[in-house]
Amino acid sequence: FLLLSSFGLCFSYEKSPDCLTFYRKRLLKIIPLWWLCLTILLAIALLEGRDHPHSILQGICYYSGAGWWFYHNEPFGIYYYEWYIPTLLLFYTLFPLLFRQSNRKLAILLLTTMAAGALLAYYHVNDHLFLSYFRPPVFIAGIFLYRIYRQEKPLGKTSTAMLGLLTAIGIAGVYYYITY
């Protein structure tokens, strides 16, 4: 979904490259529904006697997504289990910057984030963030796919190589996910 999300964001951002409008639209689409879902999960946790935020700070971390990023740090507690929206919001925040980069810089960033994710996973650094730190290459790949899609001429050597790289990344990602 993150690949398709970044691909779709390219269409939206290309139509209206104003960052404030871009951020406002994304927040209005995501935050209200996310908060509704979190409130329902919180009500269920309270009814079933499961763990829930016990302070204003923990509530802020719960509803902002910061609890995901500060998993082991007190006084934030354990309110981290919603990983997708905090990760998505981070990617949406970085998207305008990523979209403006050249293909070469994006390729370097793609390879760097792949290597960093592999090293973090191999050495079990911040294992609780695995779901987030292994996703940047997928998000960046969506921008590449959009650029390939938007080309009006047949794919050149660079685009074909990039498509091959993205395919290899996908295969490696699936293999790693299955064996991890």
Side-chain angles (χ1 to χ4, degrees):
F1 184 78
L2 289 171
L3 181 100
L4 295 176
S5 182
S6 64
F7 187 86
L9 285 176
C10 292
F11 282 105
S12 177
Y13 193 73
E14 204 170 58
K15 287 181 194 173
S16 176
D18 175 50
C19 283
L20 291 178
T21 303
F22 174 80
Y23 290 139
R24 184 175 44 79
K25 284 181 179 180
R26 296 301 150 297
L27 290 176
L28 289 174
K29 285 181 180 181
I30 295 171
I31 299 298
L33 184 57
W34 182 44
W35 283 356
L36 175 65
C37 291
L38 287 176
T39 301
I40 292 169
L41 289 173
L42 178 60
I44 292 169
L46 288 169
L47 289 171
E48 292 182 353
R50 288 190 272 159
D51 211 357
H52 59 278
H54 293 287
S55 69
I56 291 174
L57 182 58
Q58 287 178 345
I60 290 170
C61 288
Y62 182 74
Y63 279 99
S64 69
W68 169 249
W69 303 108
F70 298 114
Y71 171 79
H72 288 297
N73 298 333
E74 291 299 330
F76 300 107
I78 62 166
Y79 308 103
Y80 65 89
Y81 53 84
E82 173 46 54
W83 72 271
Y84 183 75
I85 300 297
T87 302
L88 188 67
L89 290 174
L90 175 65
F91 291 164
Y92 281 13
T93 301
L94 296 174
F95 177 80
L97 177 66
L98 293 171
F99 186 77
R100 292 183 185 122
Q101 300 304 308
S102 67
N103 282 348
R104 182 169 192 235
K105 287 182 181 177
L106 273 180
I108 291 168
L109 187 59
L110 180 83
L111 295 173
T112 303
T113 57
M114 285 177 54
L119 287 171
L120 289 170
Y122 182 78
Y123 289 107
H124 300 286
V125 177
N126 291 323
D127 274 343
H128 66 283
L129 295 176
F130 174 79
L131 292 171
S132 292
Y133 66 65
F134 235 77
R135 296 319 196 266
V138 174
F139 191 78
I140 294 167
I143 298 171
F144 275 120
L145 288 175
Y146 174 80
R147 289 179 179 176
I148 291 169
Y149 169 79
R150 294 292 285 175
Q151 285 184 343
E152 294 178 9
K153 57 186 178 192
L155 292 178
K157 290 180 184 178
T158 303
S159 296
T160 303
M162 191 56 63
L163 196 54
L165 175 64
L166 294 175
T167 303
I169 290 167
I171 292 168
V174 168
Y175 173 77
Y176 182 80
Y177 183 77
I178 290 170
T179 60
Y180 183 71

